[in-house]
Amino acid sequence: TLTGNNSYTGGTLLEGGTLEAASSTAFGNGDLYVENGTLLVNADDTLSVNGHVTLESGQLNIVIDDDHNQIDVTDTLYLDGGHLTLDLSDEAINSPKEITLITANKIEGQFDKVSANGYHVNLTYEEDRIMAHIEAK
């Protein structure tokens, strides 16, 4: 688990296991590359990644806090598949809702799969953001 106001530089490589981002500055400054494993985003504020993010495979789990964008990438977000899981256990979504999941300078690619326990989720990919349309099952 990465917490606190991290300021390290050089980037982060996740090759296996689970890495939790529990603060908005968990990854300091640099690119984030997820080759395998699970990246868990569980920050009280928007997770800021100062660089590029590449999700080659593995899983991205986001604990949703709907009063703000969940992840902000200053450069390009590259998606080469992978599984996106949304944890909505702290949210009461009774009617259809739109949530901004990720913003970036540019987005390339898509997730292979998206899931949220108890909900139907459809993603909309725009040039600079990924939106989730969420409805209860």
Side-chain angles (χ1 to χ4, degrees), residues 13-114:
L13 170 62
L14 176 59
E15 294 181 308
T18 299
L19 181 60
E20 179 178 3
S23 74
S24 62
T25 57
F27 295 111
N29 294 299
D31 296 343
L32 172 60
Y33 188 85
V34 179
E35 185 176 286
N36 244 322
T38 300
L39 176 62
L40 172 59
V41 177
N42 190 15
D44 288 336
D45 294 313
T46 301
L47 173 64
S48 297
V49 180
N50 294 310
H52 298 281
V53 173
T54 301
L55 296 168
E56 185 175 294
S57 61
Q59 188 161 329
L60 172 60
N61 294 353
I62 302 175
V63 178
I64 298 295
D65 181 1
D66 75 343
D67 42 4
H68 55 74
N69 174 27
Q70 306 302 300
I71 302 171
D72 180 57
V73 180
T74 61
D75 290 319
T76 302
L77 169 63
Y78 300 98
L79 298 172
D80 189 16
H83 182 185
L84 172 64
T85 301
L86 304 179
D87 179 343
L88 296 158
S89 59
D90 291 337
E91 300 299 318
I93 299 176
N94 300 315
S95 59
K97 186 171 190 168
E98 297 280 333
I99 296 176
T100 302
L101 296 178
I102 304 172
T103 57
N105 186 47
K106 183 178 181 183
I107 295 174
E108 295 184 11
Q110 295 186 358
F111 292 101
D112 287 333
K113 181 178 177 185
V114 60

